[in-house]
Amino acid sequence: KITLTIDNIKTEVPKGYTILEAAKTVGVDIPTLCFLKDVNEIGACRVCLVEIEGARGLQASCVHPAAEGMVIKTNTKKIRDARKSTVELILSNHNRECLTCFRNKSCELQSLAEELNINDIPFQGEETAKTVDAQSHSIVRDASKCILCGRCINVCKSVQKIGVLDFTKRGYETEVAPAFEKSMDEAPCIYCGQCIVNCPVAALREKEDIERVWDAIEDSEVHVVVQTAPAVRAALGEEFGLPIGTRVTGKMVAALKRLGFDKVFDTNFAADLTIMEEGHELLHRIQDNGVLPMITSCSPGWVRFCEFNYPQFIPNLSSCKSPHQMMGAILKSYYAEKHNIDPEKIFVVSIMPCTSKKTEAARPEMEVAELRDVDAVLTTRELAKMIKQARINFMKLEDSEFDPALGDYTGAGVIFGATGGVMEAALRTVADVLEGQDLQNIEYTAVRGIEGIKEAEVTLGGNTIKIAVAHGTAMAAELLDMIEAGEKEYHFIEIMGCSGGCVTGGGQPHVPAKVKMDCDIRVERAKALYEEDTVKQYRKSHQNPLINKLYEEYLEKPNSHKAHKLLHTHYEA
Ligand code: HC0
Ligand code: SF4
């Protein structure tokens, strides 16, 4: 422990704390801008300056370690003036059209300017570049909004181990962009959107598709079906002021009905379907000496990462489409037939916590008989915008239920949204199939939690199955490298592109870096899903009565010819 004095208050903190962390213990919240816990700790923006007695000049508190006997001041005229002029300088060449900005009211720079009481920018700096790159299906980069804090660069480099973004050009021309003036579309970007959720301003954002969805809703000829991913319910409430980790399933469904969608279904239903298909695919691969380990393919960011960086593992990818794509295919076949609706008139909207899903839905593979499985993908943030546009008072909504036809789901489907969830759901089903009974012990806690790589061995029907779970592509790379080096061997692996799984996807509500300092949003949002799992009547995918009906009436059995045509795909190197 270390004793030091901050703003005349004595405090004791563990060794290794920075001054920024130490100040929190005396209730002082030093402002920051470029700081992002564990990712971007570089002291570059100089907003977090403090005075240390005896030291020369002001010091960046986010990188300066607290030391025994230090006497620190965080609020003197000198500090206030320095912070203010630093932020004024950033603002002087920033595109300050706040009213029409994507991040109006969720911008960390805007909040900082307010907190520092900046009412005027005394000088106009050099104009920043005006490049807008909107070529991809998922991500828009707007250089005029960029403040060169480097947060996106380091997320992409260290958390994702990709490195699409970097500082390019020089001096006033400096831009954060892919190398060689390429578009994000031409770079090996996996569209995970981790750069977006960690950008303090509006320099990176999703490619919006709200208008096309409003148009479909408006068109009385079109039957508009919406489905929601598991993780959306764990975060949507944040957009309406609810604490992180609040589960808002019922209100979310009510809001979707009010927006005018003809049917509101749950992607979780299709997650159960995925488990049926993927579980049986695994059993076949094990029994018939197929390619192992089998690796999940439901995270499109991970699939792109595999295609770009580990093409040798493409044969290991499960042939299953991801749940929301399966749902689209079922809606335009089984559901259309059953309800006598022309499949050409069905418009499928997926609400996803993910920016990569927009590109996935546009992939050439994702259609059957020239009908796209999914017609539009909106992020959790875009759904919140639609609810706000419609002036719906979210907090006052009464809980509502998903529509019955394809809205039922089990606890196994809902945990898909957290890292380890797909694995756990699959094990619940595979174990029952192999053991030939309804096992009671269904919580596979070894695959839960936020450790980067999780491993376990499970004995099922007398066979030992070795499994692993990785999340965030840096962890995926580490795992795959170990397998290639012959150090590890598995039967089944779950990989999700984002650290924490879908709950922390690139389409989820923005959480300021300050809040992330004290709260692991991966943990809080996952709790909401595990809670929903425990309250469901059925917690195993193969017990979902609607899934069984779907097989009886239409698909025959898992991995049948028909199931393959609709629900599977293949990726090529
Ligand atoms: Fe996920 Fe999914 S669980 S990828 O993480 O598998 O995005 O939430 O919707 O499709 O179900 C995201 C979340 C999904 C899909 C499901 C899977
Ligand atoms: Fe990097 Fe992901 Fe952003 Fe692409 S979307 S630049 S891969 S962080």
Side-chain angles (χ1 to χ4, degrees):
K1 289 258 179 182
I2 289 168
T3 312
L4 70 167
T5 309
I6 302 176
D7 295 342
N8 300 323
I9 308 168
K10 257 207 161 76
T11 182
E12 224 188 41
V13 299
K15 239 187 161 148
Y17 260 40
T18 59
I19 294 175
L20 178 68
E21 287 169 310
K24 284 200 171 246
T25 66
V26 299
V28 173
D29 189 5
I30 298 173
T32 58
L33 187 55
C34 71
F35 177 78
L36 188 61
K37 193 180 166 197
D38 299 332
V39 177
N40 207 45
E41 302 186 350
I42 53 174
C45 73
R46 307 201 48 86
V47 165
C48 66
L49 295 178
V50 295
E51 252 180 83
I52 306 172
E53 208 177 86
R56 271 170 96 233
L58 300 175
Q59 306 293 324
S61 64
C62 72
V63 284
H64 206 105
E68 183 61 40
M70 262 183 178
V71 177
I72 293 162
K73 290 259 178 330
T74 73
N75 178 32
T76 61
K77 177 167 170 42
K78 192 170 163 193
I79 294 169
R80 285 193 304 271
D81 287 351
R83 285 180 188 158
K84 224 173 168 171
S85 38
T86 301
V87 175
E88 281 168 356
L89 197 64
I90 296 171
L91 287 170
S92 73
N93 54 8
H94 182 70
N95 168 356
R96 295 194 301 278
E97 286 165 15
C98 290
L99 288 183
T100 47
C101 180
F102 240 72
R103 291 291 298 275
N104 189 19
K105 296 202 271 183
S106 75
C107 170
E108 293 180 43
L109 179 63
Q110 197 180 45
S111 316
L112 190 61
E114 190 200 12
E115 284 160 15
L116 298 180
N117 200 17
I118 296 177
N119 305 311
D120 188 22
I121 312 296
F123 42 88
Q124 180 60 42
E126 289 283 330
E127 286 212 355
T128 35
K130 287 264 186 289
T131 335
V132 176
D133 170 10
Q135 270 192 46
S136 80
H137 290 282
S138 291
I139 294 188
V140 177
R141 182 179 69 82
D142 179 351
S144 74
K145 294 285 179 187
C146 181
I147 55 169
L148 308 178
C149 68
R151 277 159 53 164
C152 58
I153 297 178
N154 277 325
V155 168
C156 191
K157 248 186 217 160
S158 62
V159 182
Q160 298 301 62
K161 213 180 168 196
I162 297 174
V164 166
L165 299 167
D166 214 333
F167 292 111
T168 60
K169 306 184 196 154
R170 280 160 182 267
Y172 286 123
E173 303 228 301
T174 306
E175 233 181 271
V176 172
F180 311 115
E181 299 191 33
K182 280 191 179 166
S183 151
M184 305 279 279
D185 202 25
E186 298 150 344
C189 173
I190 65 168
Y191 303 130
C192 63
Q194 286 307 305
C195 50
I196 299 178
V197 280
N198 288 299
C199 175
V201 289
L204 291 152
R205 60 175 205 245
E206 69 267 57
K207 169 80 87 51
E208 260 194 14
D209 218 1
I210 294 176
E211 284 311 314
R212 226 158 47 85
V213 175
W214 281 130
D215 288 349
I217 291 175
E218 197 101 342
D219 187 341
S220 56
E221 300 273 293
V222 180
H223 185 74
V224 192
V225 179
V226 68
Q227 56 170 325
T228 57
V232 176
R233 72 208 65 201
L236 179 64
E238 293 165 27
E239 290 278 355
F240 302 93
L242 288 166
I244 293 169
T246 311
R247 183 164 57 101
V248 294
T249 317
K251 286 194 192 316
M252 172 183 77
V253 175
L256 290 165
K257 290 187 175 169
R258 288 258 203 123
L259 290 177
F261 289 102
D262 294 302
K263 289 285 174 206
V264 182
F265 293 142
D266 200 336
T267 308
N268 291 356
F269 167 82
D272 282 334
L273 184 58
T274 303
I275 288 302
M276 297 301 284
E277 292 296 319
E278 199 163 287
H280 285 85
E281 183 186 353
L282 176 67
L283 290 171
H284 291 150
R285 285 192 190 219
I286 292 174
Q287 281 155 7
D288 308 336
N289 287 323
V291 180
L292 291 173
M294 183 174 89
I295 310 181
T296 57
S297 59
C298 42
S299 162
W302 145 243
V303 170
R304 278 177 77 83
F305 184 78
C306 180
E307 291 176 320
F308 288 137
N309 303 299
Y310 289 86
Q312 64 276 35
F313 281 96
I314 289 175
N316 298 71
L317 291 176
S318 160
S319 64
C320 289
K321 288 183 188 170
S322 74
H324 86 116
Q325 298 291 152
M326 284 198 184
M327 182 68 127
I330 291 293
L331 285 167
K332 294 188 182 183
S333 56
Y334 171 71
Y335 172 82
E337 275 176 40
K338 212 171 146 116
H339 298 273
N340 220 352
I341 306 170
D342 176 0
E344 304 241 3
K345 294 268 182 261
I346 298 180
F347 189 90
V348 179
V349 180
S350 302
I351 312 289
M352 297 280 133
C354 175
T355 37
S356 205
K357 292 269 172 203
K358 289 176 182 271
T359 301
E360 177 189 41
R363 285 183 72 119
E365 298 94 338
M366 299 302 165
E367 63 174 35
V368 181
E370 290 182 16
L371 276 180
R372 302 305 301 166
D373 295 338
V374 170
D375 300 285
V377 174
L378 303 183
T379 60
T380 308
R381 293 188 294 267
E382 288 172 272
L383 171 59
K385 278 193 186 175
M386 288 182 77
I387 297 170
K388 289 173 190 172
Q389 260 188 301
R391 310 294 298 169
I392 293 168
N393 187 336
F394 189 78
M395 296 306 294
K396 286 224 166 113
L397 289 172
E398 295 272 345
D399 283 359
S400 182
E401 304 262 331
F402 287 101
D403 284 310
L406 298 171
D408 267 7
Y409 58 96
T410 69
V414 80
I415 59 174
F416 260 59
T419 160
V422 180
M423 176 60 75
E424 181 166 343
L427 291 176
R428 288 181 189 178
T429 287
V430 172
D432 274 18
V433 172
L434 287 175
E435 301 275 347
Q437 52 175 316
D438 181 12
L439 296 168
Q440 295 307 306
N441 208 348
I442 59 163
E443 296 197 350
Y444 294 86
T445 46
V447 295
R448 296 187 183 186
I450 51 163
E451 208 184 314
I453 295 176
K454 295 167 275 187
E455 304 175 282
E457 284 190 10
V458 281
T459 310
L460 306 173
N463 305 302
T464 303
I465 298 193
K466 290 188 192 170
I467 56 173
V469 172
H471 51 119
T473 42
M475 288 299 133
E478 197 173 312
L479 183 67
L480 298 178
D481 288 344
M482 289 192 291
I483 295 171
E484 284 219 290
E487 293 161 19
K488 296 278 182 185
E489 227 180 38
Y490 304 101
H491 297 94
F492 186 27
I493 298 174
E494 176 203 297
I495 297 181
M496 287 290 170
C498 297
S499 177
C502 293
V503 285
T504 19
Q508 293 284 62
H510 285 283
V511 177
K514 241 186 212 173
V515 176
K516 286 187 196 153
M517 239 184 111
D518 305 314
C519 157
D520 194 327
I521 56 175
R522 299 172 300 177
V523 176
E524 297 309 316
R525 289 176 180 162
K527 270 191 214 154
L529 299 185
Y530 287 113
E531 178 188 285
E532 187 154 309
D533 169 34
T534 58
V535 300
K536 294 302 287 185
Q537 183 188 0
Y538 298 111
R539 298 177 66 192
K540 298 170 179 172
S541 299
H542 59 284
Q543 291 173 339
N544 183 334
L546 280 177
I547 291 280
N548 290 323
K549 197 162 141 205
L550 172 64
Y551 279 109
E552 268 163 39
E553 291 183 357
Y554 199 68
L555 295 171
E556 294 157 32
K557 59 180 191 347
N559 296 356
S560 69
H561 181 69
K562 206 163 189 174
H564 261 278
K565 198 175 132 224
L566 292 170
L567 312 178
H568 292 251
T569 184
H570 73 279
Y571 300 101
E572 273 165 26

